[in-house]
Amino acid sequence: MTKEELVPPFAVIPGSQVHSILTGHEQRTIDLVEAAYRVHGEGDTVNPPSYFLRFPDRPSARIIALPASLGGGTRVDGLKWISSFPENVKAGIPRASAVLVLNDYDTGYPLACLESSIISAARTAASAALAADRLSRASGRARPKKVGFIGTGFISRHIHTYLSGAGWQFDEVGVHDLSAAYAGDFRAYLEGSGESGRITVHDSAEDLIRSSDLVVFATVAAAPHVHEPGWFAHNPLVLNVSLRDLAPEILLASANVLDDVEHCLKADTSPHLTEKLTGNREFIDGTLYDVLAGKVEIPADRPVIFSPFGLGVLDLAVGKHVYDEVLRRGEAQVIEGFFHEVDRYGRGTTSGRS
C-alpha cells in the first residue's frame, strides 16, 4: 500500500447532511447509543474527563472539549468541541454550536470534520429515550403516559422527537419554562409535530412535576432550584439531562442511575453536590450499563433519576455512523490536498487525495 493510500481522505460534513441521515431514524440512533454504552461498560473505550475553556469576561459562556476513543465494532477516535453561549438565546440563535473531528483508528489522521450540534443533541436525546425505556422496564413500571418538559430548547425538542420516534405515546404533555414566549414556541412545536397528547403549559415547575410520571429537565440552570422531595412523592421517572436543577435532598430520596460515575461527580452537578454533602457515593444505585446488563435492581417505590454527564464515545458512535453513511451514498465533500505532504521526509510526494 502506498503512502497516499495509507492516508485517508479528509471530508467536511455539514449539518444538512447530518440532519438528512439522522432524521426519521431515531430508533437506529438509540441502538447505536446503546451499543456504545455496552462497549464503554465492558471497558473497550477511552473517555477522559471533559476539558472546559472558560472566559473571565464572559462568565456564563464556555467551550468544552470531549476527547474519546471507541472500540468494539466501531473503532474510531475523535474530539467533540462544543460551545455553550447562553446569551445567544437573547438574539434568537441557539445556545450551543459544535464540531466533531473523527480520527482514523490505524493512522491517527483526521477523517472528517462534522457539524455536531445535531449529533450532540441526537446522542443526548437517544440516551434519554434509552434510559426512559430501560429504567421503566427495570423497575417494573408501566411506560409513563404523562411527560413534562422543564426547559423548552433544542434538547427538549430532540428528546420529544426521539421518544416519539421510539414509539412512545403520551396522554398528556406538560411544558414549563421561565420564559412564557419559549414555552409557547415549544407548545407550537408539539402541535406541529403531530403530538396527540393533551398539551398543557404549566406556570410552575411544581405543578408540572406533580402532574407528570416522566419528567425531563433540559435547562441552563447553573445551580439547584428544585428543593422539595414532596413534589416527587408519586415516584416519577426523572431524566436529569441538564444535571444541575435538583438539590441533593431530591437525589437522597430517590434511586439514582448515572451514565458514568466519575464523569458525573464533578463540576457541581446535582450528583456531585450530593457526594460533597454526604461524603460518600452510597446514594448511587448504578450506571445505565449496569441496568442494560441486568446488574442492578431499580425500585418502583421511589423516584428514579437518570443523570447523564454525556460521554464523548456516544458522539463518536453517532458521528462515525453519519460519516460511513455519507461515504456509502457517495456524497462525501472531500477536501483535496488537505494533507500536503504524506512522505515523512518531504521527498516530493504530496497527496492528491484529501
Side-chain angles (χ1 to χ4, degrees):
M1 184 177 292
T2 68
K3 297 180 180 69
E4 289 78 7
E5 291 170 330
L6 283 171
V7 176
F10 181 79
V12 173
I13 300 176
S16 56
Q17 288 184 310
V18 176
H19 176 77
S20 70
I21 288 168
L22 295 181
T23 301
H25 300 283
E26 288 79 20
Q27 186 58 56
R28 181 177 64 187
T29 304
I30 293 170
D31 293 342
L32 288 169
V33 165
E34 178 177 353
Y37 272 128
R38 290 184 182 275
V39 172
H40 182 66
E42 291 159 4
D44 196 12
T45 64
V46 181
N47 205 110
S50 302
Y51 297 90
F52 289 72
L53 176 62
R54 299 186 183 276
F55 313 97
D57 60 329
R58 292 158 288 167
S60 68
R62 64 186 187 271
I63 308 179
I64 312 171
L66 286 79
S69 177
L70 177 62
T74 303
R75 303 187 76 78
V76 66
D77 310 323
L79 172 76
K80 180 171 76 171
W81 181 239
I82 182 166
S83 67
S84 174
F85 279 54
E87 297 302 314
N88 287 353
V89 174
K90 296 178 182 178
I93 62 175
R95 170 185 59 86
S97 58
V99 295
L100 175 68
V101 176
L102 300 179
N103 293 77
D104 179 58
Y105 187 86
D106 294 317
T107 67
Y109 271 81
L111 295 168
C113 180
L114 299 85
E115 195 286 328
S116 197
S117 65
I118 298 171
I119 290 172
S120 185
R123 65 83 149 148
T124 300
S127 169
L130 175 66
D133 178 58
R134 297 310 179 93
L135 290 171
S136 296
R137 293 192 207 178
S139 60
R141 303 162 187 244
R143 177 170 275 198
K145 287 292 187 179
K146 300 178 181 179
V147 63
F149 292 89
I150 297 180
T152 56
F154 193 57
I155 297 300
S156 283
R157 175 159 58 87
H158 272 75
I159 292 174
H160 176 266
T161 297
Y162 270 72
L163 288 169
S164 298
W168 289 69
Q169 294 182 323
F170 299 105
D171 296 333
E172 298 181 22
V173 180
V175 177
H176 173 69
D177 197 288
L178 294 178
S179 165
Y182 297 158
D185 288 344
F186 192 68
R187 176 172 192 154
Y189 152 73
L190 291 170
E191 292 170 343
S193 74
E195 172 58 55
S196 59
R198 180 166 60 90
I199 302 168
T200 303
V201 176
H202 293 268
D203 293 333
S204 70
E206 178 182 0
D207 288 344
L208 181 142
I209 292 166
R210 288 187 182 275
S211 62
S212 304
D213 47 16
L214 174 62
V215 181
V216 180
F217 284 93
T219 75
V220 294
H225 58 94
V226 176
H227 296 268
E228 295 295 333
W231 296 3
F232 302 83
H234 56 301
N235 301 327
L237 176 58
V238 180
L239 302 178
N240 183 31
V241 176
S242 42
L243 284 175
R244 294 173 177 84
D245 301 84
L246 301 174
E249 51 263 39
I250 307 293
L251 274 67
L252 291 172
S254 306
N256 292 278
V257 176
L258 284 53
D259 62 348
D260 182 284
V261 174
E262 296 302 328
H263 282 76
C264 279
L265 296 181
K266 61 183 61 173
D268 286 338
T269 63
S270 295
H272 187 207
L273 294 176
T274 306
E275 180 193 34
K276 291 199 289 188
L277 176 67
T278 63
N280 62 63
R281 300 180 175 184
E282 295 176 3
F283 65 94
I284 300 172
D285 291 76
T287 66
L288 184 56
Y289 169 73
D290 294 330
V291 175
L292 295 173
K295 296 182 177 181
V296 62
E297 293 185 5
I298 304 300
D301 60 352
R302 281 185 288 160
V304 176
I305 301 175
F306 175 59
S307 298
F309 194 80
L311 301 175
V313 292
L314 305 183
D315 297 280
L316 293 185
V318 177
K320 183 58 161 54
H321 166 72
V322 170
Y323 171 77
D324 289 342
E325 185 63 16
V326 167
L327 291 185
R328 187 191 69 79
R329 295 180 181 184
E331 298 174 351
Q333 300 182 39
V334 171
I335 309 301
E336 296 293 340
F338 186 82
F339 301 109
H340 178 60
E341 292 187 352
V342 297
D343 182 90
R344 182 179 178 188
Y345 299 102
R347 291 174 292 204
T349 44
T350 59
S351 175
R353 306 170 62 199
S354 302

